[in-house]
C-alpha cells in the first residue's frame, strides 16, 4: 500500500511539475514578442537574400504583431552579419536570414563560433539555383560557347561574386574546374553590387541568385546562358542546365533562418511555424516561382543536417581550387 501511495504521490508531483513548466513556457511565448525584432541580412540590398527577406519580414510582422525589421550588414562574404547574430542575446529579438554561402564560409574561414552547433537552426525557407548571366557584349549565347570562348582567352573573362569563398564564387570555381577553363575573379559585397557592375559592362558574367537575375534576363539587359540545377528551371525553361553540357555539375542555393545558440524552443517552434506558413502562402509561392525559387520548410533538425552536408561538400572545392580566405 505504501509503495502504491508513494507511486501516486510521485506521479502527482511529476504531473504538477510538468504542468507548471508547460504553463510557464506558454506564458513566456505568450509574452513574445513585445518589441520589434531585427532580421539581419548579411548582404547588401538588392541581392537574392534581400529580395526574399523583405516580403518574408512583412509576413512575419503581420503574424507576430511586432515589426520584423531588415538590417543589412554586408561584408566578409556574409560573415559580418552572421557573427553579429551568433553573438547576440538569445532572446528572440535578433535573427538572421542566410544563403547557402553560409556553408561555404564555414568551409573556408575560421569562424569565432561553431557554424553548425554554435547556432540555433530555425527553418529552411527555400532553394533555387544560380543563373549564369553574361553582359550582352560577350560573344556567347550558350554554355558551350562560353566554355570555348574562355578556353580561347584564358583569364580574359572577369566574373563577379558575392565575395571570396561565397557560394557564387565557389560555384563558379567548380564550373571552371569542371570545364577546364580559367577566368578572373572580382569579389563584391553581395549579388546587388556585382549585378550592377555586370549591367554596366564592368565585368563579363556572374553566377547570380535566380531571384535577382531572372528579371534582368527577361528584360534582355543580361543574357542568361544556363542554370546550375540538374534540371531546367520552370521560371526560365529556355535556359539549359549546365549539367546538359557538363554532366554532374550542380550548385544549389538555399535560404534559411537561424538565431543565436540557446534560443528558446518555444520561440524556435513559433518562428519555424510562421516561416513555413509564410512561404507556403499563395502569394509567396507565386512570387518565388516567378523568380525560380521553391519553398522548402522542414524542421530545425533538417536544416542542421543540410548544413553538415554542405560544409563537407564545399571544403572539397576550397581545397581543389586552392581558394584562400580573405577577411
Amino acid at each position: 500500500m505504501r509503495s502504491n501511495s508513494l507511486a501516486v504521490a510521485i506521479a502527482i508531483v511529476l504531473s504538477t511539475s510538468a504542468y507548471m513548466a508547460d504553463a510557464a513556457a506558454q506564458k513566456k511565448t505568450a509574452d513574445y514578442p513585445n518589441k520589434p525584432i531585427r532580421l539581419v541580412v548579411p548582404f547588401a540590398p538588392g541581392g537574392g537574400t534581400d529580395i526574399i527577406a523583405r516580403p518574408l519580414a512583412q509576413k512575419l510582422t503581420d503574424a507576430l504583431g511586432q515589426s520584423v525589421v531588415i538590417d543589412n550588414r554586408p561584408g566578409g562574404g556574409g560573415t559580418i552579419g552572421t557573427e553579429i547574430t551568433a553573438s547576440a542575446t538569445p532572446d528572440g529579438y535578433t535573427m538572421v536570414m542566410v544563403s547557402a554561402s553560409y556553408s561555404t564560409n564555414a568551409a573556408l574561414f575560421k569562424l569565432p563560433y561553431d557554424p553548425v552547433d554554435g547556432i540555433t537552426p530555425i527553418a529552411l525557407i527555400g532553394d533555387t539555383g544560380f543563373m549564369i548571366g553574361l553582359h550582352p557584349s560577350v560573344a556567347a549565347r550558350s554554355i558551350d560557347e562560353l566554355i570555348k570562348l574562355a578556353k580561347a582567352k584564358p583569364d580574359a573573362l572577369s566574373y563577379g561574386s558575392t565575395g571570396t569563398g561565397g557560394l557564387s564564387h565557389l560555384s563558379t570555381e567548380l564550373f571552371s574546374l569542371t570545364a577546364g577553363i580559367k577566368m578572373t575573379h572580382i569579389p563584391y559585397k553581395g549579388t546587388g553590387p556585382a549585378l550592377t557592375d555586370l549591367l554596366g559592362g564592368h565585368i563579363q558574367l556572374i553566377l547570380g541568385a535566380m531571384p535577382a537575375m531572372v528579371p534582368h534576363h527577361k528584360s534582355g539587359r543580361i543574357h542568361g546562358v544556363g542554370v546550375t540545377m540538374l534540371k531546367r528551371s520552370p521560371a526560365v525553361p529556355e535556359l539549359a542546365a549546365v549539367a546538359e553540357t557538363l554532366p554532374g555539375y550542380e550548385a544549389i542555393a538555399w535560404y534559411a533562418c537561424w538565431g543565436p545558440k540557446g534560443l528558446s524552443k518555444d520561440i524556435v517552434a513559433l518562428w519555424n511555424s510562421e516561416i513555413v506558413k509564410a512561404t507556403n502562402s499563395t502569394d509567396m509561392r507565386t512570387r518565388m516561382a516567378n523568380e525560380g525559387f521553391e519553398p522548402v520548410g522542414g524542421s530545425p533538425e533538417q536544416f542542421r543536417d543540410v548544413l553538415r552536408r554542405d560544409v563537407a561538400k564545399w571544403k572539397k572545392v576550397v581545397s581543389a581550387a586552392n581558394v584562400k580566405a580573405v577577411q
Side-chain angles (χ1 to χ4, degrees):
M1 291 292 293
R2 286 184 178 179
S3 61
N4 287 340
S5 298
L6 180 60
V8 170
I10 292 173
I12 291 172
V13 169
L14 291 175
S15 176
T16 302
S17 298
Y19 173 80
M20 291 176 66
D22 184 60
Q26 289 180 6
K27 182 179 185 302
K28 185 176 182 179
T29 305
D31 292 339
Y32 172 87
N34 55 34
K35 63 182 181 179
I37 302 165
R38 176 171 61 160
L39 180 59
V40 176
V41 173
F43 297 104
T49 310
D50 186 73
I51 286 172
I52 297 302
R54 291 186 181 277
L56 179 62
Q58 185 57 57
K59 289 280 188 183
L60 293 171
T61 294
D62 295 341
L64 299 176
Q66 285 286 348
S67 296
V68 177
V69 181
I70 299 295
D71 182 9
N72 293 97
R73 294 297 185 100
T79 59
I80 292 176
T82 57
E83 287 180 23
I84 288 171
T85 308
S87 62
T89 302
D91 56 6
Y93 292 97
T94 301
M95 306 291 191
V96 66
M97 182 173 165
V98 296
S99 70
S101 284
Y102 177 73
S103 62
T104 64
N105 288 339
L108 183 65
F109 299 125
K110 183 176 177 60
L111 300 174
Y113 61 95
D114 188 312
V116 177
D117 296 318
I119 64 169
T120 301
I122 295 175
L124 280 164
I125 295 166
D127 62 20
T128 183
F130 289 115
M131 179 191 294
I132 299 182
L134 311 181
H135 186 265
S137 65
V138 179
R141 294 295 179 268
S142 68
I143 293 296
D144 186 57
E145 290 180 2
L146 173 61
I147 292 171
K148 289 178 179 178
L149 181 62
K151 284 184 175 180
K153 299 179 179 180
D155 292 320
L157 294 176
S158 59
Y159 72 91
S161 78
T162 57
T164 299
L167 185 62
S168 64
H169 176 208
L170 296 190
S171 296
T172 312
E173 287 294 337
L174 179 59
F175 173 74
S176 296
L177 288 167
T178 308
I181 61 175
K182 290 185 177 181
M183 299 186 292
T184 300
H185 176 220
I186 309 295
Y188 292 85
K189 293 183 178 181
T191 301
L195 183 54
T196 297
D197 268 11
L198 176 65
L199 293 170
H202 303 295
I203 55 176
Q204 283 70 60
L205 72 150
I206 62 174
L207 266 73
M210 295 281 282
M213 299 288 281
V214 168
H216 296 292
H217 165 70
K218 290 185 175 180
S219 71
R221 298 185 70 193
I222 63 173
H223 286 302
V225 294
V227 294
T228 63
M229 300 83 80
L230 288 177
K231 297 181 180 180
R232 297 191 181 206
S233 168
V236 282
E238 70 277 12
L239 299 186
V242 175
E244 294 178 36
T245 301
L246 301 174
Y249 177 87
E250 180 185 28
I252 299 297
W254 46 256
Y255 299 99
C257 185
W258 57 260
K261 184 176 182 179
L263 197 59
S264 160
K265 290 182 179 179
D266 298 309
I267 292 176
V268 172
L270 177 63
W271 269 69
N272 180 275
S273 174
E274 295 302 337
I275 286 174
V276 171
K277 287 179 186 176
T279 55
N280 280 288
S281 63
T282 301
D283 58 331
M284 281 290 287
R285 289 186 71 91
T286 299
R287 179 176 187 142
M288 288 190 287
N290 289 339
E291 296 172 339
F293 182 82
E294 296 183 4
V296 176
S299 69
E301 290 74 23
Q302 287 173 303
F303 174 26
R304 199 187 297 275
D305 289 342
V306 168
L307 276 181
R308 293 189 193 282
R309 179 200 68 195
D310 281 9
V311 169
K313 171 184 176 179
W314 293 116
K315 278 185 177 179
K316 294 179 181 178
V317 176
V318 166
S319 176
N322 195 31
V323 177
K324 301 299 183 182
V326 177
Q327 284 187 297

